Amino acid sequence: MGTTYKVVAVDHDNRLDEADIKRAVSAALADVNAAMSNWDAGSEISRLNAAPAGVATQMSPELSQVMTAAAEVNAASEGRFDTTLGPLIELWGFGAPGEQAMPSEAAIAEARDRSGHQNSLQLGAGAVQKTRADAQVYLAGIGKGYGADHVGRALQALGLEDFLVEIGGDLYAAGRNPEGQPWQIGIESPNAANRGVLGVVGVSGMGLASSGDYRNYFERDGERFSHLIDPATGRPVQHSTASATVLAENAMLADAWSTAMLILGRERGLQIAERHDIAVQFVARDAGGANGLKFKTFSSPAFDKLTA
């Protein structure tokens, strides 16, 4: 999927060969790439993107699970998590290759017409079809999380119970780290110039993912435009929320919900988090803080309960 991965596994009895573990991890990653990598022209999702409108495309159980979860998070987040925003992402210059520019209102409206789960996809039991020929599905906001979960299942099949799998910053942790504690995960400070750690959470039997607006953006006339596009406006988000970190039962849902929560922003995000029992911590910019710009954190009740 065009990113990196890291696996740490604790083999207490030294009964497994490292080469066997590596083969299992590689096989699991190959499964995920074959189903949902937009970087692989022969993957299932690439074949769906190349299919004409109105033709049902059968999905593997893996892709069906991800597409179903994406649709459910899309509905629960008031459409803020959307895997069909490719036209808008490319319009604003955040595609590959992309030239960052300020699009016209007409161009934004046209790209919005070509985006959106509701007007571009029809999902059924084990099959999906495009309702627009030019619809494109990009799974970068959920596929990496699913990949971490899938690798975790491969490790469990080998009998490993204590491990950490991270793909592109999204992770699933099980059991304990080598020190016998829950895996200690740092939440990064959303400061492009000095990326320190705001806090540390212990993670075990859960997925964790963070989304931020501070790594991929451009500036025009003193205004920042991040790669996070709000489907409701067709524009980069403009609120003061800099990052969102989500804990969930698996990395797939943490991945999708962290994106949705950041696009929603702290105020609306906390309301939806309480409604759906989402464990999220927001980091917001505080321009009025002492000594210039600082950050404040805001957590949902579910996040506080899990990290107490």
Side-chain angles (χ1 to χ4, degrees), residues 35-150:
M36 58 200 72
S37 176
N38 293 105
W39 293 73
D40 180 354
S43 70
E44 282 190 73
I45 201 64
S46 293
R47 295 198 299 272
L48 169 63
N49 285 339
V55 175
T57 299
Q58 296 298 312
M59 296 183 289
S60 65
E62 294 81 9
L63 183 59
S64 179
Q65 181 183 355
V66 169
M67 292 290 287
T68 299
E72 290 173 350
V73 177
N74 174 267
S77 66
E78 299 178 341
R80 292 320 199 275
F81 179 76
D82 198 318
T83 62
T84 69
L85 292 186
L88 283 164
I89 293 170
E90 292 172 5
L91 179 66
W92 283 93
F94 292 109
E99 181 177 347
Q100 292 160 343
M102 296 294 295
S104 66
E105 294 292 339
I108 293 173
E110 190 272 338
R112 286 187 68 198
D113 286 343
R114 293 191 289 124
S115 305
H117 274 238
Q118 299 302 319
N119 65 350
S120 60
L121 294 177
Q122 185 174 338
L123 194 63
V128 61
Q129 66 179 12
K130 301 192 301 185
T131 55
R132 295 181 56 101
D134 54 3
Q136 298 284 292
V137 178
Y138 295 89
L139 298 176
I142 191 170
K144 295 191 300 295
Y146 177 86
D149 295 330
H150 195 57

Side-chain angles (χ1 to χ4, degrees), residues 17 20 45 48 63 85-86 125 128 151 154 184 216 220 256 262 287:
D17 187 271
D20 292 333
I45 201 64
L48 169 63
L63 183 59
L85 292 186
V128 61
V151 171
Q184 302 297 294
N216 191 4
R220 289 290 186 276
L262 185 54

